[in-house]
Each structure stands twice: as C-alpha cells, then as structure tokens.
Amino acid sequence: QVQLVESGGTLVQPGGSLRLSCVATGTIERITTMAWYRQAPGKERELVASITRGSTPSYVVRGRFAISINNAKTTVYLQMNSLQPEDTAVYYCNALIPWGSYWGNGTLVTVSS
C-alpha cells in the first residue's frame, strides 16, 4: 500500500508561482514513477509531469512547470510559475508501482485576480 498526501494548493493571482508537494508513505520502495495530474472543472484528468525514481523528469506542460523529487524518494514537488487562469484545477499526485498505481486526494489550485 502507498498513501499520497498533496499540499500547497491555494488561490494565486495570474502570473504568480506556487509549489505543490506530495508526500508518499507506505511501500515507497515499490514506486517506479511519480507524477502530477490535474483536472479542471468539466474536463478530464490530464498528465502534467512525471519523474522516475532515478529523478528523470518528463513534461507535458512545458516551460512553466518543474517536477522534482527529494533524495529519499518520499516527496515529489511541482513548481509552477507564471500561472494562468487556465491552470485552475485540482492537482493530483500519482505513484506508479509494478502492479498498479495510487492516487492522492488532490489539492485545489485557483488562479484568479
């Protein structure tokens, strides 16, 4: 079992920055890849970025977002810069293991003036 808890979501003005965190507990040694997804109102959940256990990142939202993982492989971060209203969404953390994946409950990011 893997438990994921996201934090850091809040209301931010357009052009602002935010860093989301996701703490993984449980059988973390089984995690091969961690990722951030987001789901905007009325839209499907979409992949934002992922990072392997070896710290190799991969981005769908390029340029403004950066994903990173701590040395202990317990916490993954999403640094978001130059936020725009279209970035408003619930951001979810995902942990991929050999036999499936786990999800956190999400953290809400609202970009509005």
Side-chain angles (χ1 to χ4, degrees):
Q1 288 282 349
V2 173
Q3 296 79 40
L4 303 171
V5 178
E6 304 98 333
S7 63
T10 189
L11 172 65
V12 62
Q13 291 189 343
S17 297
L18 208 57
R19 188 175 84 155
L20 306 182
S21 300
C22 171
V23 177
T25 58
T27 318
I28 60 172
E29 63 274 12
R30 297 290 189 175
I31 297 173
T32 58
T33 301
M34 294 188 74
W36 284 99
Y37 286 73
R38 67 183 180 184
Q39 187 166 17
K43 295 187 177 181
E44 294 187 353
R45 192 172 299 188
E46 63 176 0
L47 176 64
V48 174
S50 63
I51 189 164
T52 67
R53 191 172 182 83
S55 301
T56 300
S58 177
Y59 296 99
V60 175
V61 179
R62 295 186 177 275
R64 297 185 294 117
F65 292 3
I67 190 170
S68 60
I69 192 167
N70 68 341
N71 289 336
K73 314 301 181 186
T74 58
T75 304
V76 64
Y77 305 96
L78 185 68
Q79 177 67 41
M80 304 186 294
N81 301 321
S82 301
L83 285 162
Q84 301 302 315
E86 53 266 32
D87 296 316
T88 294
V90 178
Y91 285 72
Y92 295 93
C93 182
N94 175 271
L96 188 65
I97 57 174
W99 55 86
S101 67
Y102 292 92
W103 292 92
N105 290 327
T107 185
L108 176 63
V109 173
T110 303
V111 185
S112 176
S113 56

